[in-house]
């Protein structure tokens, strides 16, 4: 197959966007709506809530830590077989879970098996998306990530209906069938050969070259810090509102407002990321700083109007930073190394995600309310955005700093010495 | 028999002037007289008060206003036999004498009640003892006059709660049905199974299938093992108190594994078809592209051959031919 010099930016790429949309819905939508099963499982197995909530935690942890494996495999074999295998694993995990007779079975089936299936699907798909687009990369990523928000709206009532009709065993069986659609999504990921692919070599070589890449390491640290602060409000906003004596119905309404503005933010930022001149890292800095500021202002707001305004601002800015965060990476490491790069980033930033919520809970327990934890979350975001300043080209305002040609030259410069075949003959 | 003055303020000495004032405002004070013959379902009070003095005393009040349209009701939950004291009070603007006080249980007229009036308020009191289920029910006080005002006390045994939604299980599974009540301890619980309208009691000793577990006094659990489709339907749990029974329904649905399996297989087939369609489309478009490319190459070769025979230089076509092939 002929190697392309430039990503296609359209054409089949839009089918990849569709595939990524459904995949983020099927992976994260299922994870987020798992709370419906939580109540049923606690009653069915007569277990404590903490033991049952480990099921989802193990699933998320395996998905994030397993990302480099998914990336390495897709560098070697292309994304399609890896994602299809991941879909089969995720579906069989859920299938086995429907026959479970103890919570340990669920840890192994949903946590380990489905988690590793999800690890093999999400990261390779996003990386594949970044290879298909260059000019409209942020918009494509933003559109694909809206799948997460929309599926949370749709899956929670759907799962509730399934449980009320088929009990949790039958419902898990049908969720397994739903997850099987990941295989169909994987079939849509047509492999794409770009000119810089042979220059960067196999997965081992890519990994070692990435670990020596300064900007990549700084970016990973920045994203880890951002991730630490990012998830805290999702977990603690409801409790904070109840501390302020809000009614549960109004609090839930506020959370829906945050979710809607998150969705709008993702698409708007995706569009903006493509049309704004200059490196996307600058936009990431902007959104991260704004999110940090709005988080830090949360404790100050007491009146409902102020809280509503802050909630809309937080939702919009935090949604806005997600597609841009994924778009910075191809500019840093090049589309040839995107699979491995994304896998490594996901693995390291998951540490931040795992630490953030317990840290916030600990702060609340020691200080009595959520003020400190929100301020600390905002601080993490601001520090992360500060580190982003050290990335290359962030302060270049000259005309030459348009969508950079650097990925190719970066890849060629730092390549391990391999043959030059495939590049144009002299 | 003269009724004792009880707790309704004895006719003690009041300043005479105040008494005259009160009399002027509300009419004269009145005092009811008990009737001569007690009814059969009511115990004779004097003796019974001593016999049941070890029971607890429950007092309940209802306040009425003279011109309201809504009858006032009070629901009382009672579990054990007790002595009961019911008081109705009504604020009258004038003419306390003209108000006729009656007590009824259902439609049955009661006797042995007291009335007293203090200022503008008329009190009516009825004391009795509840020892079995025959004495539970509704007791009403009536104040006659221009418009009859009524206050009702409803006595009920405690309610029990099961699960509102049907319990869904599968064949071969085991399940636990539970009934509980908030703050009560029944004498015992029984379970019934009904597959229509007839309730069949469940005998726990007879089969290995059922087990009744009593962890606390206020709840009961029926465990059913090796479920079959015959086991579905309504289950009734009865809580038996000294003063009556309370029941609640729990519904059990038993499904076979085929029920969710059919949609599952349907979706698996659908996914397989999707994957096949996507992959076939791709190989088809690739073949078409390859044919087009081959066709283009063929055309180019033909064109060069024809150029060649037209007497153009030999080197140029070879060079161009090499280029087009190596792409």
């Amino acid at each position: 197959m002929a190697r392309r010099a430039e990503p296609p930016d359209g054409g089949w790429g839009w089918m990849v966007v569709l595939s990524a949309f459904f995949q983020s819905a099927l992976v994260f939508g299922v994870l987020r709506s798992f709370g419906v099963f939580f109540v049923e499982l606690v009653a069915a197995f007569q277990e404590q809530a903490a033991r049952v909530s480990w099921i989802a935690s193990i699933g998320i942890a395996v998905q994030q830590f397993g990302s480099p494996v998914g990336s390495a495999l897709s560098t070697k074999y292309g994304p399609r077989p890896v994602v299809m295998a991941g879909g089969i694993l995720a579906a069989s995990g859920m299938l086995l879970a429907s026959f479970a007779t103890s919570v340990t079975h669920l840890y192994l089936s949903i946590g380990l098996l489905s988690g590793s299936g999800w690890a093999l699907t999400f990261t390779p798909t996003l990386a594949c998306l970044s290879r298909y687009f260059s000019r409209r990369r942020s918009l494509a990523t933003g559109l694909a990530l809206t799948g997460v928000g929309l599926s949370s709206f749709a899956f929670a009532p759907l799962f509730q209906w399934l449980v009320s009709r088929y009990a949790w065993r039958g419902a898990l069986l049908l969720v397994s069938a739903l997850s099987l659609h990941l295989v169909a999504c994987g079939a849509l990921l047509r492999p794409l050969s770009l000119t810089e692919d042979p220059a960067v070599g196999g997965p081992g070589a890519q990994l070692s070259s990435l670990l020596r890449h300064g900007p990549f390491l700084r970016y990973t640290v920045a994203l880890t810090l951002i991730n630490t602060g990012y998830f805290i409000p999702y977990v603690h906003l409801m409790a904070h509102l109840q501390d302020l004596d809000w009614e549960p119905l109004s609090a839930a309404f506020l959370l829906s407002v945050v979710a809607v503005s998150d969705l709008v933010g993702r698409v708007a930022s995706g569009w903006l990321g493509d049309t704004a001149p200059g490196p996307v890292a600058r936009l990431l800095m902007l959104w991260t700083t704004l999110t940090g500021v709005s988080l830090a202002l949360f404790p100050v707001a007491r009146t409902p109007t102020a809280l509503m305004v802050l909630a809309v601002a937080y939702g919009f800015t935090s949604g806005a930073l997600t597609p841009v965060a994924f778009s910075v990476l191809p500019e840093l490491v090049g589309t040839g190394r995107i699979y491995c790069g994304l896998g490594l980033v996901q693995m390291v930033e998951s540490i931040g995600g795992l630490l953030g919520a317990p840290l916030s809970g600990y702060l609340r327990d020691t200080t009595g309310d959520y003020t400190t934890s929100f301020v600390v979350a905002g601080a993490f975001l601001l520090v992360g955005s500060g580190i982003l300043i050290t990335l290359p080209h962030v302060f270049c305002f000259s005309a030459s700093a348009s969508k950079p040609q650097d990925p190719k030259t970066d890849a060629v410069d730092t390549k391990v010495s391999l043959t030059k075949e495939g590049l144009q003959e002299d | 028999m003269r009724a004792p003055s009880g707790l309704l303020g004895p006719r003690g000495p009041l300043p005479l002037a105040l008494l005259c004032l009160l009399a002027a405002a509300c009419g004269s004070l009145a005092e009811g007289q008990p009737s001569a013959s007690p009814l059969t379902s009511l115990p004779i009070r004097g003796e019974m008060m001593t016999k049941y003095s070890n029971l607890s005393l429950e007092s309940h009040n209802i306040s009425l206003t003279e011109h309201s349209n809504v009858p006032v009701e009070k629901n009382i939950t009672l579990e054990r036999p007790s002595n009961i004291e019911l008081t109705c009070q009504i604020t009258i603007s004038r003419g306390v004498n003209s108000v006729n006080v009656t007590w009824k249980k259902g439609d049955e007229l009661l006797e042995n009640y007291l009335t007293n009036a203090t200022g503008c308020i008329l009190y009516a009191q009825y004391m009795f003892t509840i020892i079995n289920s025959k004495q539970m029910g509704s007791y009403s006080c009536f104040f006659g006059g221009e418009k009859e005002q009524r206050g009702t006390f409803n006595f009920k045994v405690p309610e029990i709660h099961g699960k509102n939604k049907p319990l869904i299980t599968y064949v071969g599974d085991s399940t636990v049905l539970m009934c509980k009540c908030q703050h009560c301890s029944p004498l015992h619980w029984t379970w019934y199974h009904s597959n229509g309208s007839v309730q069949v009691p469940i005998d726990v000793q007879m089969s290995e299938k059922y087990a009744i577990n009593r962890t606390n006094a206020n709840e009961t659990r029926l465990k059913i093992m090796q479920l079959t489709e015959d086991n579905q339907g309504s289950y009734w749990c009865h809580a038996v108190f000294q003063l009556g029974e309370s029941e609640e329904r729990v519904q059990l649905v038993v499904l076979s594994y085929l029920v969710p399996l059919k949609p599952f297989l349907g979706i698996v087939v659908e996914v397989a078809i999707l994957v096949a369609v996507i992959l076939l489309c791709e190989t088809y478009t690739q073949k078409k592209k390859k044919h087009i490319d081959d066709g283009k190459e063929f055309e180019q070769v033909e064109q060069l051959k024809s150029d060649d025979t037209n007497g153009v230089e030999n080197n140029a076509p070879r060079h161009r031919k090499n280029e087009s092939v190596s792409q």
Side-chain angles (χ1 to χ4, degrees), chain B residues 63-126:
Chain B
S63 290
L64 297 167
T65 52
E66 193 177 6
H67 299 293
S68 74
N69 293 324
V70 181
V72 180
E73 285 201 23
K74 189 169 181 184
N75 293 322
I76 302 161
T77 308
L78 204 60
E79 201 181 315
R80 275 175 282 276
S82 334
N83 294 316
I84 309 286
E85 186 181 82
L86 302 176
T87 311
C88 287
Q89 67 184 53
I90 186 164
T91 314
I92 300 280
S93 54
R94 52 171 175 77
V96 186
N97 267 339
S98 66
V99 178
N100 197 6
V101 178
T102 45
W103 279 90
K104 278 190 189 172
K105 176 182 185 290
D107 285 328
E108 201 181 293
L109 205 61
L110 299 172
E111 292 156 349
N112 296 344
Y113 53 84
L114 294 177
T115 50
N116 202 345
T118 312
C120 296
I121 307 177
L122 179 63
Y123 295 91
Q125 186 187 55
Y126 183 62

Side-chain angles (χ1 to χ4, degrees), chain B residues 169-317:
Chain B
T169 51
Y170 288 94
V171 174
D173 242 351
S174 63
T175 184
V176 173
L177 305 173
M178 194 175 78
C179 282
K180 70 192 290 187
C181 65
Q182 283 301 86
H183 307 286
C184 68
S185 26
L187 296 176
H188 60 94
W189 296 87
T190 43
W191 283 92
Y192 295 83
H193 174 45
S194 81
N195 229 344
S197 53
V198 179
Q199 290 192 8
V200 175
I202 294 179
D203 192 351
V204 184
Q205 274 82 33
M206 209 166 68
S207 59
E208 304 236 313
K209 204 156 140 142
Y210 301 100
I212 295 187
N213 193 3
R214 290 162 217 276
T215 40
N216 302 324
N218 67 337
E219 69 179 22
T220 179
R221 290 167 196 265
L222 174 70
K223 183 167 180 177
I224 313 180
M225 283 148 310
Q226 298 291 331
L227 284 164
T228 63
E229 296 207 323
D230 296 328
N231 295 132
Q232 62 177 355
S234 303
Y235 284 80
W236 301 84
C237 57
H238 285 235
V240 176
F241 301 95
Q242 269 179 299
L243 301 175
E245 255 188 35
S246 188
E247 68 175 16
E248 177 66 14
R249 181 170 107 155
V250 179
Q251 250 188 318
L252 184 68
V253 176
V254 181
L255 301 171
S256 82
Y257 268 110
L258 290 177
V259 173
L261 199 64
K262 278 188 256 174
F264 175 76
L265 290 175
I267 297 179
V268 170
V269 167
E270 176 230 330
V271 172
I273 292 176
L274 263 179
V275 174
V277 163
I278 292 171
L279 292 177
L280 282 175
C281 266
E282 186 171 325
T283 40
Y284 177 69
T285 46
Q286 271 190 4
K287 269 196 202 149
K288 226 168 76 173
K289 213 169 129 191
K290 204 171 154 205
H291 277 147
I292 290 176
D293 281 347
D294 280 349
K296 275 199 199 134
E297 268 187 37
F298 189 65
E299 272 182 33
Q300 278 177 337
V301 170
E302 287 292 307
Q303 203 186 23
L304 292 170
K305 273 197 194 150
S306 65
D307 285 344
D308 207 7
T309 55
N310 279 346
V312 195
E313 277 187 31
N314 276 345
N315 288 332

Side-chain angles (χ1 to χ4, degrees), chain A residues 203-348:
Chain A
Q206 285 190 27
L207 276 173
S208 51
S209 71
L210 279 173
L211 289 173
R212 276 179 275 153
H213 195 239
F216 173 75
L217 293 172
R218 292 197 289 272
Y219 173 71
T220 310
V221 171
L223 263 196
T224 311
L225 289 170
I226 292 173
N227 227 27
T228 317
Y230 178 77
F231 286 108
I232 289 177
Y234 280 108
V235 180
H236 291 274
L237 189 59
M238 188 76 172
H240 176 64
L241 289 174
Q242 279 174 351
D243 272 357
L244 293 177
D245 293 322
W246 275 53
E247 280 177 6
L249 206 61
S250 332
F253 174 68
L254 189 73
L255 288 178
S256 316
V257 167
V258 172
V260 168
S261 63
D262 175 285
L263 219 66
V264 172
R266 281 173 201 244
V267 181
S269 152
W271 173 83
L272 191 67
D274 294 320
T275 51
V280 190
R282 258 186 270 165
L283 278 176
L284 182 61
M285 253 183 61
L286 171 73
W287 296 125
T288 319
T289 318
L290 285 177
T291 316
V293 165
S294 63
L295 263 186
L297 284 178
F298 253 110
V300 176
R302 298 276 157 177
T303 59
T305 0
L307 273 173
M308 185 73 80
V309 167
L310 262 188
V312 170
Y314 166 72
F316 188 83
T317 49
S318 68
L321 69 86
T322 35
V324 182
F326 284 114
S327 301
V328 173
L329 197 59
E331 289 183 8
L332 277 182
V333 304
T335 43
R337 287 185 295 179
I338 186 70
Y339 288 114
C340 285
L342 198 56
L344 268 182
V345 167
Q346 289 252 298
M347 181 179 92
V348 177

